[in-house]
Amino acid sequence: ADGEEVIVSNELGKVTLRAAVVERVGRGMIWSPRPITDRLGRPLNALASGEPQLLGGGPRYASIQVRLQRMTK
C-alpha cells in the first residue's frame, strides 16, 4: 500500500524502502530514483550485478529482477 515500508530483494541483497503507488508505473514493475539508500545505508545498486546488459553493454539498472514484500509489523 502507498506509504508502507517494503523489502526489495534478489539473490544479491535487499533494501527496505517506502512504497509510493502511482498509476504511471505498470503493474508488476517498480521504479526507484538512483542513487538511493535505505534507512540502514544499503544502496539500491547492491541489487544490480556487474554484468553489462546485452543491448548496448551498459549497466542493467532498467532490467533488474527483484521480489517485493511487505514489512511485517
Side-chain angles (χ1 to χ4, degrees):
D2 196 45
E4 196 172 350
E5 282 201 331
V6 294
I7 298 170
V8 182
S9 65
N10 64 14
E11 67 279 354
L12 299 174
K14 69 180 180 179
V15 294
T16 303
L17 303 171
R18 189 162 308 277
V21 179
V22 296
E23 289 182 18
R24 63 183 179 256
V25 176
R27 184 173 178 81
M29 302 182 81
I30 66 168
W31 177 89
S32 177
R34 292 188 321 262
I36 192 171
T37 57
D38 71 4
R39 58 185 165 81
L40 298 176
R42 296 177 293 204
L44 183 61
N45 288 349
L47 305 180
S49 84
E51 293 292 316
Q53 64 181 342
L54 297 176
L55 184 61
R60 291 185 178 254
Y61 298 127
S63 60
I64 300 170
Q65 292 188 0
V66 296
R67 291 177 295 282
L68 187 65
Q69 68 185 100
R70 289 183 167 142
M71 292 284 296
T72 54
K73 294 184 180 187

